[in-house]
Amino acid sequence: DTEVTQTPKHLVMGMTNKKSLKCEQHMGHRAMYWYKQKAKKPPELMFVYSYEKLSINESVPSRFSPECPNSSLLNLHLHALQPEDSALYLCASSRWVGNQPQHFGDGTRLSIL
Amino acid sequence: AQSVTQPDIHITVSEGASLELRCNYSYGATPYLFWYVQSPGQGLQLLLKYFSGDTLVQGIKGFEAEFKRSQSSFNLRKPSVHWSDAAEYFCAVGAQTNAGKSTFGDGTTLTVKP
């Protein structure tokens, strides 16, 4: 059983829709991450939160908006996405940012029509 | 800057055969190294990690890896592969600072023949 829970597992949305991805962990980890993964590629880092504060934004377009309401929750708000944004979106957490192993959720498979 | 190279894009082995997946890294200090496995439709699962100490580390599912500083390598091994080991394998190096980010290799796809 994964210790990082992501919902929904699958999401299909049009380019004008607004939706949100949710991630939850109860391991007491203080770092949380959003990754984008295309088929047969490694995960690409999007955002890092450290102690509920955004510490890294990898020049992600503003149509992706992260939010960390508390130490257990991480959201990714989506608006006006493009077809090339279709991918697997992975959430991960670690004890702290940097050299710690990351625990990944099973991801949300996002398809943009 | 840190980097990770996995020279083999795709490896095919027969069930029951031994396995070695290669990983080379570039890092300015003592590295924190990880191997992750990703089965289709799932997230990444940590197989093992190296922080310091014994250079041969044991992981889950019967995997082990050996850290060789002189060769800048951290190769993953398994003595006898099972069909369920077919997956994508990623080597990663942890950030050099607490403000940095981990670096993943491009991955190796493992196919297991019956």
Side-chain angles (χ1 to χ4, degrees):
Chain A
D1 289 338
T2 183
E3 298 166 311
V4 176
T5 304
Q6 290 187 243
T7 55
K9 293 190 183 304
H10 302 275
L11 180 61
V12 180
M13 56 187 289
M15 289 189 284
T16 58
N17 292 155
K18 286 185 181 181
K19 296 286 185 183
S20 296
L21 308 185
K22 180 180 174 181
C23 174
E24 192 167 3
Q25 58 88 14
H26 295 287
M27 294 178 283
H29 290 174
R30 304 313 300 269
M32 296 187 77
Y33 310 77
W34 279 117
Y35 288 89
K36 174 183 178 181
Q37 188 181 29
K38 291 283 201 179
K40 300 296 185 184
K41 295 293 186 183
E44 296 174 45
L45 184 65
M46 300 175 71
F47 303 103
V48 180
Y49 273 83
S50 177
Y51 291 85
E52 295 99 70
K53 288 185 170 32
L54 184 65
S55 64
I56 295 177
N57 177 343
E58 290 288 286
S59 302
V60 179
S62 60
R63 58 185 183 268
F64 295 91
S65 175
E67 178 195 22
C68 190
N70 59 57
S71 60
S72 300
L73 284 175
L74 186 66
N75 298 320
L76 186 63
H77 303 298
L78 314 173
H79 174 55
L81 295 194
Q82 303 298 307
E84 61 266 27
D85 297 322
S86 297
L88 181 68
Y89 287 83
L90 293 165
C91 174
S93 69
S94 63
R95 291 175 65 186
W96 55 78
V97 171
N99 54 27
Q100 292 296 300
Q102 295 178 26
H103 297 250
F104 285 82
D106 283 338
T108 294
R109 176 71 61 186
L110 178 64
S111 298
I112 307 300
L113 301 178
Chain B
Q2 61 196 55
S3 66
V4 178
T5 301
Q6 294 180 245
D8 305 304
I9 297 173
H10 194 171
I11 283 185
T12 299
V13 300
S14 297
E15 190 168 16
S18 63
L19 170 70
E20 182 170 33
L21 302 182
R22 296 183 291 165
C23 172
N24 295 100
Y25 67 89
S26 172
Y27 196 81
T30 300
Y32 293 78
L33 295 161
F34 312 96
W35 274 101
Y36 294 90
V37 61
Q38 185 176 30
S39 298
Q42 295 187 3
L44 280 69
Q45 181 183 22
L46 180 70
L47 284 175
L48 47 78
K49 61 183 184 284
Y50 172 77
F51 282 0
S52 64
D54 193 347
T55 56
L56 186 63
V57 294
Q58 302 297 320
I60 62 172
K61 305 185 180 190
F63 285 92
E64 65 178 26
E66 186 170 12
F67 170 63
K68 292 185 177 180
R69 184 187 299 275
S70 61
Q71 298 177 19
S72 297
S73 69
F74 188 56
N75 294 348
L76 182 71
R77 301 195 294 247
K78 186 169 186 178
S80 177
V81 169
H82 188 264
W83 65 265
S84 60
D85 293 323
E88 190 79 14
Y89 291 79
F90 294 99
C91 181
V93 59
Q96 289 188 254
T97 70
N98 287 338
K101 59 181 182 178
S102 297
T103 300
F104 287 84
D106 285 341
T108 297
T109 302
L110 175 64
T111 297
V112 180
K113 294 191 301 185

